[in-house]
Structure formats: C-alpha cells, structure tokens
RNA sequence: GGUGAGGUGGCUGAGUGGUCGAAAGCAGCGCUUUGCUAAAGCGCCGUAGUCCAAAAGGCUACCGAGGGUUCGAAUCCCUCCCUCACCGCCA
C-alpha cells in the first residue's frame, strides 16, 4: 500500500509512475486519494475537538462531585449528552472517511523505479544480462517429462491418484536431486550471510494480509476453512511477516533470512503445454531469500540479491538470462523486479526460475515494519525478496540440458549433495 | 476434545470507576563519579493521528478485538479471538 504522503509530496511524479505501470486514469485516482485524505483529516480534527471538550467536562464534573456540588454537575452532564450525540455521528463519519480512503488507496499499485522500462507485455521486458551457451542436444533428446519417466524420477500419475494434477511424486534419484538442491541452496544462502528460518507453511489471515495476498488474491491460495489458515504460496509470506508490527534497530539492518518451504498455488485456469511436467505445479519446493533494508541502500541490496541468484545459476552451469520487467509485466506490489530465466533446451524455451524484487515500503506500510532513524523517528523499512531458487524448473532444465546418450550428468557442484554423478 | 487461569509499554509486573498513557523493577539512551571495568547517583525512555515552518509543546486515540453501561472505563457487563496449565487423544 502506498503512503498518502508520497502522493502528496510528489504528486506529478507519482502520476507519471502510475502511468508507467499502465494504471488507468492515474491523475484522477491520485487526486481522489488526496482529497479523501483531506476529508478524513478534517473529520478527525472535528471529532478530536469534540472529544477534548467532553473530556474536559467530565473532569469538571468529577471535581464538582467531590465538592458536593451535585446540581452544577447535573447541568454539565446535560451538556455532555449533547456533545456525545454529535461525536457519535462523527465517529461514524470518520469510519466512513477512513474506509473511503483505504478502498481507493489499496487499488493503487506500487510506483515503479525510474529504471523500469515502459511496456505492457513480456515482450517489453529488458534483457539486462545473459550467461552461458544454449546447449546442443543429441538426436534423441526429449523433454523432461519423458526423462522423468524413462529414469523413474517423478511419477505424475501417482500424484494424481494421491491428490490431483500438479502434485507429483518424486522418486529415487529424482527425490534425492530435490533434496540435494534444497541443501545446496540453503548452504549457499548461509555463506552469503542469510540466517536460515523454518517458518510455518500455514499462515493466518493477518499474515496473508501483511504481504498482500489478502484480500485481493485470495483465490491463489489454498484455504483451510475449518481453521481459517492459508497454505503459503511462497516463504515470503511467513518470513516477511516475522517482522510485521516491529520497529527494527537501524544498526540491525539489513535483516537477511533464507527459508526452504514447500509452496502451494491453486493457479486456477492454467492448461496446455505451459503446465506440462514440472513447468507449473500446485505444490513445489523453493528456497527463498528475504531482506529487510534501510531505504537508503535497498537498491544496492537488490543488485546484490540479483547477482547472488545469478551466481547460483552459474554454479549449476545453466544458461540463463536476467530480465528487468517492464511496467506492465511487474507485480502489483513491486517497484523493480528482475526475473531470472533458465533455458530449457528440449522444450526450447526460457523458464522463469526466480523473481527478485524490491517492494520499497509498499509491503512494510501494511506490515507496519519500521526502523528508528537518527532523529528517533520511525520510518518504514524496505522489503526485498527473491527465489533462490524455485526447484521444479531448475530440475527440468538440469534434466533436459544435461541429457546425453549415457544418461543425465549431474552438475559437479551438486555431486557432493547427490552422491551420484549420473542418472542412468 | 474437557477443565482451569490469563491477555497491561522491549521484558517482568502493579493497577476494580475520575488524580492512569498507566506504579515499580529490568533492559536501553544521556550525563556525573571513576585509572579501566564494575558499581552508584541523576535525567530521559510506548505507538499512531493531528495542530505548529520546525523544535518545544498542545489535542486525540490506543492497556487482545469489537460492542455496551456511565458525565467519566485498563478497571463494570456482553460477544469474539488468542495464550498458558492440567487431563484425554495422537505423534
């Protein structure tokens, strides 16, 4: 959620930035939010004055009672009753004014960073970095969904039996490869200074709200209605919410966390070859990195995170590219997002395996996640997160890109974790 | 699932109708004392909204949440949520 003060102080700039995100009628929307905030403020002031008067009278009445001047007290009592009626009305008005403001404010997406390219579709994303050669596969190379069957690594049908489509069962070396990747990613994150946490994978409504999944994107999460819990779509939700309603010490920033969790996404309406095999699942594993930063250096940190993730992909010897997402392709809450895509050679397509974003204060505003500045005032932190990495598509790319007539070669960096060099 | 206890500031914890935004202690910050450390003394020390150019300061709200009683509620009443303990069940 944006801060009204941002919009007030930099009105034209905010409008321009909203336009970059292809937000319709940005100028009218911003003007309305500012007006609604002024309305809210004036009602608040009126109410505060009225309450002050009532408090004052109540104190006088107390004093009169003590002195035994009951008659005088009764006169004042009468007066407070009138004030009370008035303030009741204002309380209702204030609630309305706050709701009106909130309803409009939550519709506004985060303002994109100045480096974000204009554009509407994924075609407009800017390739900022490419690494590695596109591998030339041998004649009989096949997509990963055939390899997983051939080598008995993943059983998609069995998952259908147990749960449904999109819940694969990993087996044998397929299961071990998963475990190896998780441990590799966590070890790397630890080396880079991220503190590991193991959060719950069910969260309550407050947490869903804090990171912005609720109320709008309720449909993307699995909901346990009996207990009103949600299965997390990403570790970002529980990990970032650790810091909800806190005031961090400035010297403790940035806070760096990493977490491995399963992730659950309903992804309603998806079909076709985009969801074939491991490309899109309802349950998948992911290691996430999260940072809570001082606004002063959050963009330096974003670049660090980007190069950290790039380093992982290099170590895994996967060809990849980094995209700076255009205004139209960015998520609602992000100010700047880099997507990392690996090339999946048998499918001959790029697969998104990581998304690294700076949300600036958009999330922390909702989370009430602050730090104390030199002048002892509280300010909103910046929140950042990134996948490091999402497993299924990494597995897909490893299987496809490394397939040979002799079998599938495990990237050497993983061998200490898998304890085998080949899948054959 | 059953029974009981309880939710107060960073923590511990007092507070059963006005003088309570809240005692006291701990932690933290500043100063004094001190060869250093420690100890001691003094002062400061919740969040948010709003007024003021800003500081100082003023006003308002917040003692789990929401209602109610009252001129006045942390305190009384109702509803809900949560936590803890014990028992049962499961691992």
């Amino acid at each position: 959620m944006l801060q009204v003060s941002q919009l007030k102080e930099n009105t034209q700039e905010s409008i321009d930035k909203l336009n970059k995100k292809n937000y319709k009628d940005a100028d009218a929307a911003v003007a309305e939010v500012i007006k609604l905030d002024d309305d809210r403020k004036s009602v608040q002031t009126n109410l505060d004055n009225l309450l002050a008067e009532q408090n004052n009278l109540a104190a006088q009445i107390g004093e009169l009672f003590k002195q035994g001047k009951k008659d005088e007290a009764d006169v004042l009592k009468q007066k407070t009753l009138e004030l009370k009626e008035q303030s009741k009305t204002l309380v209702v008005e204030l609630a309305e004014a706050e709701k009106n403001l909130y309803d409009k404010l939550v519709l506004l997406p985060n303002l994109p960073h100045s480096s974000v390219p204009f554009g509407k579709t994924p075609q407009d994303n800017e390739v900022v970095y490419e690494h590695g050669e596109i591998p030339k596969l041998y004649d009989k190379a096949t997509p990963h969904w055939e390899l997983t069957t051939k080598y008995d690594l993943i059983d998609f049908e069995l998952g259908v039996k147990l749960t449904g489509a999109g819940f694969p069962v990993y087996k044998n070396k397929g299961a071990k490869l998963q475990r190896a990747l998780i441990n590799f990613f966590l070890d790397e994150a630890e080396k880079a200074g991220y503190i590991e946490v193991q959060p719950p994978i069910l969260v309550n409504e407050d947490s869903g709200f804090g990171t912005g999944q609720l109320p709008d994107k309720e449909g993307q999460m699995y909901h346990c209605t009996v207990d009103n819990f949600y299965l997390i779509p990403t570790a970002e939700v529980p990990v970032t919410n650790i810091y909800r309603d806190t005031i961090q010490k400035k010297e403790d920033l940035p806070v760096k966390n990493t977490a491995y969790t399963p992730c659950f996404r309903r992804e309603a309406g998806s079909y076709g070859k985009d969801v074939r095999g491991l490309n899109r699942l309802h349950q998948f594993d992911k290691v996430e990195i999260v940072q809570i930063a001082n606004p002063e250096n959050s963009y330096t940190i974003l670049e660090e995170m980007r190069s950290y993730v790039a380093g992982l992909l290099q170590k895994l010897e996967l060809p990849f590219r980094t995209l700076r997402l255009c205004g139209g392709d960015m998520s609602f809450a992000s100010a700047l997002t880099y997507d990392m895509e690996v090339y999946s050679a048998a499918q001959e397509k790029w697969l998104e395996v990581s998304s690294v974003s700076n949300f600036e204060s958009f999330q922390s505003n909702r989370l009430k996640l602050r730090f104390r500045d030199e002048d002892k005032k509280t300010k909103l932190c910046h929140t950042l997160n990134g996948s490091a990495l999402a497993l299924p598509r990494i597995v897909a790319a490893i299987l496809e890109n490394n397939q040979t007539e002799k079998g599938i070669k495990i990237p050497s960096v993983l061998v200490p974790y898998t304890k085998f060099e080949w899948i054959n």
Side-chain angles (χ1 to χ4, degrees):
Chain A
M1 190 161 59
L2 290 172
Q3 301 169 78
V4 181
S5 58
Q6 275 176 292
L7 302 175
K8 275 192 178 167
E9 283 157 28
N10 304 301
T11 307
Q12 192 51 49
E13 192 188 333
S14 301
I15 291 168
D16 294 343
K17 287 183 167 180
L18 285 170
N19 283 330
K20 201 188 229 179
K21 260 200 171 172
N22 299 313
Y23 190 82
K24 279 183 190 159
D25 298 325
D27 42 359
V30 170
E32 184 169 24
V33 164
I34 292 175
K35 183 192 167 293
L36 289 172
D37 187 58
D38 289 339
D39 291 350
R40 189 210 98 237
K41 215 184 275 189
S42 93
V43 176
Q44 174 93 61
T45 305
N46 289 340
L47 178 60
D48 284 355
N49 290 339
L50 212 52
L51 290 174
E53 209 176 325
Q54 283 178 55
N55 288 343
N56 194 285
L57 286 174
Q60 287 180 42
I61 290 169
E63 196 53 39
L64 289 171
F65 267 120
K66 250 181 220 167
Q67 298 170 8
K69 300 177 179 170
K70 195 168 175 306
D71 294 345
E72 287 180 44
D74 283 341
V75 175
L76 290 185
K77 267 196 200 179
Q78 199 53 42
K79 203 169 166 191
T80 55
L81 287 176
E82 290 164 25
L83 294 176
K84 212 170 159 185
E85 280 309 306
Q86 291 176 40
S87 58
K88 262 187 190 168
T89 318
L90 282 178
V91 166
V92 174
E93 267 182 52
L94 180 62
E96 277 171 13
E98 280 172 347
K99 185 172 187 306
N100 290 341
L101 172 64
Y102 175 83
D103 286 349
K104 294 295 174 192
L105 197 55
V106 289
L107 295 177
L108 299 179
N110 201 0
L111 305 178
H113 186 257
S114 55
S115 70
V116 169
F118 283 93
K120 298 198 169 165
T121 68
Q123 273 84 52
D124 300 318
N125 294 337
E126 182 187 342
V127 177
V128 294
Y129 187 73
E130 283 184 276
H131 180 271
E133 297 288 316
I134 306 257
K136 292 211 172 65
L137 301 181
Y138 78 121
D139 297 344
K140 291 177 185 161
T142 55
H144 69 269
W145 51 84
E146 292 181 20
L147 296 168
T148 52
T149 305
K150 181 176 173 187
Y151 296 108
D152 198 21
L153 304 174
I154 300 176
D155 193 329
F156 291 96
E157 283 71 31
L158 189 53
V160 171
K161 172 186 172 183
L162 300 181
T163 308
F167 293 91
V169 176
Y170 300 85
K171 296 159 70 178
N172 303 314
K173 287 185 172 176
K176 290 190 200 305
L177 178 58
Q178 290 276 117
R179 191 146 54 87
L181 282 165
I182 293 163
N183 284 326
F184 169 65
F185 291 147
L186 286 174
D187 285 352
E188 290 293 312
E190 191 181 355
K191 278 186 219 161
Y194 293 90
I195 308 297
E196 184 178 346
V197 292
Q198 261 192 47
I201 58 179
L202 287 172
V203 293
N204 60 26
E205 240 175 302
D206 286 346
S207 296
F209 178 83
T211 31
Q213 280 72 25
L214 296 175
D216 304 330
K217 293 170 218 153
E218 174 147 19
Q220 109 177 170
M221 290 189 291
Y222 288 96
H223 187 194
C224 307
T225 51
V226 175
D227 295 294
N228 199 25
F229 293 147
Y230 293 86
L231 279 156
I232 59 170
T234 159
E236 167 198 343
V237 178
V239 174
T240 313
N241 271 282
I242 290 173
Y243 305 99
R244 164 155 53 88
D245 266 315
T246 62
I247 300 174
Q248 298 295 312
K249 288 184 188 149
K250 193 185 171 195
E251 60 268 28
D252 290 345
L253 299 178
V255 173
K256 301 171 77 172
N257 281 143
T258 185
Y260 152 71
T261 67
C263 301
F264 302 88
R265 297 187 184 177
R266 297 184 65 229
E267 309 279 13
S270 303
Y271 61 91
K273 73 180 158 99
D274 282 351
V275 305
R276 205 87 199 255
L278 293 168
N279 287 353
R280 186 167 300 166
L281 300 170
H282 288 307
Q283 177 179 337
F284 62 97
D285 288 314
K286 180 158 64 69
V287 172
E288 184 81 359
I289 50 176
V290 171
Q291 293 208 41
I292 312 296
N294 187 316
E296 276 173 17
N297 61 1
S298 67
Y299 279 95
T300 311
I301 285 171
L302 180 68
E303 294 305 315
E304 277 172 29
M305 290 170 76
R306 172 170 82 96
S307 63
Y308 169 74
V309 174
L312 293 178
L313 293 168
Q314 282 176 34
K315 287 179 185 174
L316 291 171
E317 300 164 53
L318 293 170
F320 70 93
R321 63 182 188 183
T322 303
L323 306 175
R324 187 185 281 128
L325 297 192
C326 73
D329 201 30
M330 286 167 72
S331 76
F332 188 77
S334 172
L336 179 54
T337 296
Y338 292 111
D339 270 7
M340 310 292 212
E341 298 183 334
V342 297
Y343 194 75
S344 191
Q347 295 186 72
E348 296 182 342
K349 64 196 277 191
W350 294 96
L351 299 178
E352 182 194 331
V353 291
S354 179
S355 190
V356 184
S357 302
N358 186 354
F359 300 96
E360 296 193 4
S361 58
F362 197 80
Q363 285 184 328
S364 58
N365 193 24
R366 276 200 184 196
L367 290 160
K368 297 204 174 63
L369 166 48
R370 295 151 294 171
F371 71 101
R372 206 175 294 283
D373 209 359
E374 294 78 18
D375 53 5
K376 292 195 167 183
K377 286 192 175 155
T378 59
K379 283 189 181 170
L380 294 173
C381 297
H382 281 188
T383 61
L384 304 95
N385 65 50
S387 345
L389 290 155
L391 289 242
R393 293 174 188 166
I394 293 288
V395 170
I398 288 174
L399 297 181
E400 292 186 11
N401 295 10
N402 298 359
Q403 60 183 309
T404 70
E405 287 172 1
K406 291 199 292 179
I408 296 162
K409 187 156 190 339
I410 299 296
S412 57
V413 75
L414 283 182
V415 172
Y417 292 92
T418 55
K419 314 267 182 14
F420 55 81
E421 289 179 53
W422 290 88
I423 294 172
N424 47 23

